[in-house]
Amino acid sequence: MAVLDRFTDIISANVNAIIDRMEDPEKMIDQYLRDMMEDLAEVKKNTASVMAEETRAKRLVDENEAEVTKYERYAKKALESSNDADARVFLSKKQELEDVGTGLANAYAKAHENASKMRQMHDKLAADIDKLRNRRSMIKAQMSVADTQEKLNKVDTSLGKSKGAMSNFERMEDKASRRLDEADAMEELNKQPKDSAQELEEKYAEETGSAAVEDELERMKQDMGLSSSEDE
């Protein structure tokens, strides 16, 4: 049977070791799981067939043994009746059935061995599939966590860049403020200081100008006969 040729490979396969060697476990597990499900379907079908053959072989063995027992009993009864000829016939049939029984027993032994292997292979495949499904769930959960972590790392990187940009802007703003303060200070320093004599000079210069106007006005009034002294 072809499926039994794979018995050694399936039984000796270490599903954990196979998963560990996978380059992309998340994708390859799904494919490997599909392959194993196909194997399991074939194994189930053949296991049922082999188990049926085992049952049939066992039934034939039991029936043969019952016939052997029956003819042995008849031979004894014939001897008890002092009928040696009949006893010989029954014993001859008994031996014939025993010869057939040897072949039936061998067939049953082989059928039983095959059925045991098939059941063992079925159980191994079923257990490996459960293990694989659990590992797949775990790996996919880990991949999901890894994806989330990568997104968080990208967000952190973006925030770091934003913080860096804000920090640079603040430094530029501080620098501009310092330069403005320095310019204002320089403007203040560039102004020529005025001493008290200059300030008084401007004051009296204005007063002198006013007195000259008044004198000019008085002369004009005198010339026009409008002198304030005549009015008095």
Side-chain angles (χ1 to χ4, degrees):
M1 186 178 299
V3 71
L4 286 175
D5 295 338
R6 300 192 55 207
F7 174 77
T8 303
D9 292 338
I10 291 176
I11 293 299
S12 62
N14 187 326
V15 67
N16 288 327
I18 293 173
I19 294 173
D20 292 339
R21 291 196 302 268
M22 291 179 176
E23 294 181 1
D24 188 350
E26 186 178 8
K27 292 181 179 179
M28 295 184 69
I29 279 178
D30 290 336
Q31 181 59 51
Y32 193 60
L33 187 58
R34 285 192 291 269
D35 294 341
M36 292 179 70
M37 290 298 295
E38 292 177 1
D39 287 341
L40 183 61
E42 184 181 2
V43 167
K44 275 187 175 182
K45 179 181 178 181
N46 286 280
T47 298
S49 177
V50 170
M51 290 177 67
E53 181 63 27
E54 178 191 20
T55 301
R56 178 176 175 275
K58 182 64 168 62
R59 184 173 62 252
L60 292 175
V61 168
D62 291 342
E63 290 174 354
N64 178 267
E65 288 178 350
E67 288 291 298
V68 168
T69 301
K70 181 182 72 172
Y71 284 106
E72 183 179 4
R73 186 174 66 253
Y74 287 165
K76 289 180 179 179
K77 286 184 177 181
L79 289 174
E80 289 173 356
S81 300
S82 299
N83 193 339
D84 292 354
D86 291 344
R88 288 188 183 92
V89 173
F90 291 139
L91 289 174
S92 177
K93 184 63 176 179
K94 172 180 174 291
Q95 290 175 358
E96 179 183 336
L97 291 172
E98 286 176 340
D99 292 338
V100 172
T102 300
L104 291 175
N106 291 335
Y108 169 70
K110 185 62 177 177
H112 178 71
E113 180 184 359
N114 289 341
S116 297
K117 287 182 178 180
M118 293 299 294
R119 283 192 293 267
Q120 186 179 1
M121 183 160 46
H122 173 273
D123 294 345
K124 173 70 163 51
L125 273 173
D128 283 350
I129 287 172
D130 287 340
K131 188 183 298 183
L132 193 61
R133 283 173 174 164
N134 292 334
R135 287 290 298 271
R136 180 181 62 175
S137 299
M138 180 190 70
I139 289 172
K140 287 191 174 183
Q142 290 175 338
M143 293 295 290
S144 178
V145 171
D147 290 341
T148 302
Q149 187 61 49
E150 287 180 0
K151 291 178 182 178
L152 290 175
N153 292 340
K154 290 179 180 178
V155 171
D156 289 341
T157 301
S158 298
L159 289 175
K161 291 180 179 178
S162 299
K163 291 179 180 178
M166 288 299 296
S167 178
N168 291 335
F169 178 79
E170 290 173 356
R171 286 197 298 271
M172 292 176 64
E173 189 176 39
D174 290 341
K175 184 176 180 180
S177 297
R178 288 196 301 271
R179 289 185 64 182
L180 181 59
D181 291 341
E182 290 174 359
D184 290 342
M186 185 61 70
E187 181 183 3
E188 184 68 27
L189 292 173
N190 288 335
K191 291 180 179 180
Q192 293 293 332
K194 294 182 180 180
D195 57 24
S196 56
Q198 286 179 329
E199 293 178 357
L200 289 174
E201 181 181 345
E202 292 176 0
K203 177 181 178 182
Y204 283 101
E206 291 176 357
E207 291 179 353
T208 301
S210 299
V213 170
E214 293 297 325
D215 291 343
E216 181 68 18
L217 178 63
E218 187 61 29
R219 284 196 298 272
M220 290 181 68
K221 285 182 177 182
Q222 289 178 359
D223 292 341
M224 296 173 64
L226 299 175
S227 174
S228 57
S229 58
E230 291 180 357
D231 291 340
E232 291 177 356

